[in-house]
Structures are given as structure tokens and as C-alpha cells.
Amino acid sequence: GDSVTQTEGQVALSEEDFLTIHCNYSASGYPTLFWYVQYPGEGPQLLFRASRDKEKGSSRGFEATYDKGTTSFHLRKASVQESDSAVYYCALSGHTEGADRLTFGKGTQLIIQP
Amino acid sequence: GALVYQYPRRTICKSGTSMRMECQAVGFQATSVAWYRQSPQKTFELIALSTVNSAIKYEQNFTQEKFPISHPNLSFSSMTVLNAYLEDRGLYLCGARGDSYAEQFFGPGTRLTVL
């Protein structure tokens, strides 16, 4: 079945550091790839998505590029802020199912120290 | 904007009893509702997907007999956890999508504790 593997556990950075959270997927065809962010006490919120090879998604300074060759969708941000502290989830939905059935990675907790 | 509410936010039940949780979509018509569970140390597992005018589809390891779902209209869905045990602990999320949107909107979840 479909699966998503992302940087596990916590990533601790200081403000203005460069962020990379790795995400690799396994799925047939062309899945749609998503990055979600979850703040304490809230449900996941969509950051952005990408549906085609080489398509770049971006929002709030975060970006990721769909790479079918390496089956990756790594999340990057050039300069993180304390307010970026949250849990980030990479997810996919199969190309035949639209956005209704999501497969999530295990989540990466980002901690930004002032 | 599109919002999803879930009730209750937290609940505690005794082992072997049942509890019902609700999901309400506001600002859009929820033509599909997906229920997920996040267990301790695990990511979100899809329990079932309910789409208007289609039968509710349960994922492997989840059954209607254990997690009956109702989706009576385009703004409301409920799910019951029957005969809850320790392994049913976790955060239950509702993800709703409308035809005008390409994404699911999630509620804050219902956290279930089983004693």
C-alpha cells in the first residue's frame, strides 16, 4: 500500500536557521502530495500541495518540490521563526482517490528556540 | 471560510462502554467526510470514508460494527466507538471536503481516554 516516510522525532533550530524536513513516499502512479502543519490543540492545516512532477508548492515561506525521480517532497524554509514551532506532516492521496483518502507520515516536531 | 468543529474535545469512558463523537462542517457542504485516529506514538490512520450517495468505506482493521458512522446531511457526521478498550485511545480527527475544494479541512479532534 501507499506509505510516507519523513524525518522522525524532533528538529530543534534557532531563529533564522534554514529548515529541511525530509519526506519520501511510496505510491503508484502520480499521487498528490501535501504538507500539513498542526499546532497544539488544533487539527492539521494544509500548508500546500503538489500534483505533478517538478511542481513546487509554497506557503508562508515554506516550499517543497514534487520529485518523482527520487519520490520525495522535502519541506524547506530559508529562515525559520519561533512561530513556526509546530508538528509538520507529509501526506499523500492516490491519484484515483482525490484528496479524500490521505496517508500521513509520522510527523516531525519543529522546535524553534528564540 | 471553511471550518470544521468536533465535539466533544475530550472524553473519558470506562473500558467496555461506548462513546459518540460529532463533526460539523461550517461554511461549506461536506460531500465527503473522513474519520482518522491518531494513537499514541502513531500517525493518523484512516478509519473510514463517507461520501454522499455512496456507501461508507471502512479501511482494513476498522469495521462498521466497531465504529458505526452516520453522515445524514452535508454539514454533519458522527461516529461511535463501541465497546471501547485501551487500544482505542487516541485523537479522533474528522476531515471534511466539499466539491468546491481540493483539500480536506480538519477539526481539532476528539481525544478519547479509556479507563
Side-chain angles (χ1 to χ4, degrees):
Chain A
D2 297 345
S3 66
V4 174
T5 303
Q6 65 178 95
T7 302
E8 289 198 14
Q10 294 182 351
V11 171
L13 298 172
S14 300
E15 280 195 317
E16 299 184 10
D17 280 353
F18 187 91
L19 167 71
T20 300
I21 298 177
H22 290 98
C23 172
N24 289 91
Y25 69 90
S26 174
S28 60
Y30 272 90
T32 298
L33 304 176
F34 304 82
W35 274 103
Y36 279 86
V37 58
Q38 185 179 28
Y39 299 99
E42 299 180 12
Q45 302 170 19
L46 179 68
L47 264 180
F48 52 79
R49 64 180 176 273
S51 303
R52 304 181 304 274
D53 191 22
K54 302 297 185 278
E55 180 179 356
K56 183 166 80 172
S58 63
S59 174
R60 309 185 210 173
F62 292 91
E63 62 179 39
T65 300
Y66 193 134
D67 189 330
K68 186 167 175 60
T70 59
T71 60
S72 67
F73 194 53
H74 304 317
L75 181 69
R76 306 184 198 277
K77 185 173 185 180
S79 177
V80 294
Q81 304 300 314
E82 192 176 356
S83 58
D84 294 328
S85 296
V87 181
Y88 292 81
Y89 292 93
C90 184
L92 69 81
S93 65
H95 72 286
T96 58
E97 300 156 334
D100 290 338
R101 305 166 68 94
L102 295 173
T103 298
F104 285 88
K106 291 187 176 181
T108 304
Q109 183 168 16
L110 176 62
I111 300 171
I112 306 300
Q113 296 149 346
Chain B
L3 293 172
V4 176
Y5 295 99
Q6 287 188 250
Y7 312 97
R9 294 292 301 274
R10 294 177 177 272
T11 186
I12 301 172
C13 68
K14 291 184 178 179
S15 182
T17 64
S18 302
M19 72 82 50
R20 180 170 176 265
M21 54 191 75
E22 299 180 348
C23 172
Q24 183 174 15
V26 176
F28 69 106
Q29 294 185 321
T31 52
S32 73
V33 174
W35 285 92
Y36 298 84
R37 179 175 71 191
Q38 185 183 32
S39 305
Q41 309 306 320
K42 290 187 178 180
T43 189
F44 301 104
E45 300 175 277
L46 178 63
I47 297 170
L49 174 65
S50 173
T51 305
V52 169
N53 298 324
S54 296
I56 298 172
K57 296 180 182 178
Y58 286 82
E59 294 295 291
Q60 194 173 12
N61 300 325
F62 297 97
T63 65
Q64 182 180 6
E65 290 71 30
K66 172 72 174 177
F67 299 97
I69 290 170
S70 172
H71 188 184
N73 56 56
L74 294 177
S75 63
F76 182 82
S77 177
S78 66
M79 183 177 75
T80 302
V81 181
L82 293 175
N83 206 14
Y85 286 101
L86 280 178
E87 58 265 29
D88 295 319
R89 293 172 302 165
L91 181 68
Y92 287 81
L93 282 176
C94 162
R97 191 177 73 84
D99 285 343
S100 302
Y101 298 93
E103 65 179 273
Q104 283 185 17
F105 295 96
F106 286 90
T110 294
R111 185 165 296 281
L112 173 62
T113 300
V114 181
L115 301 178

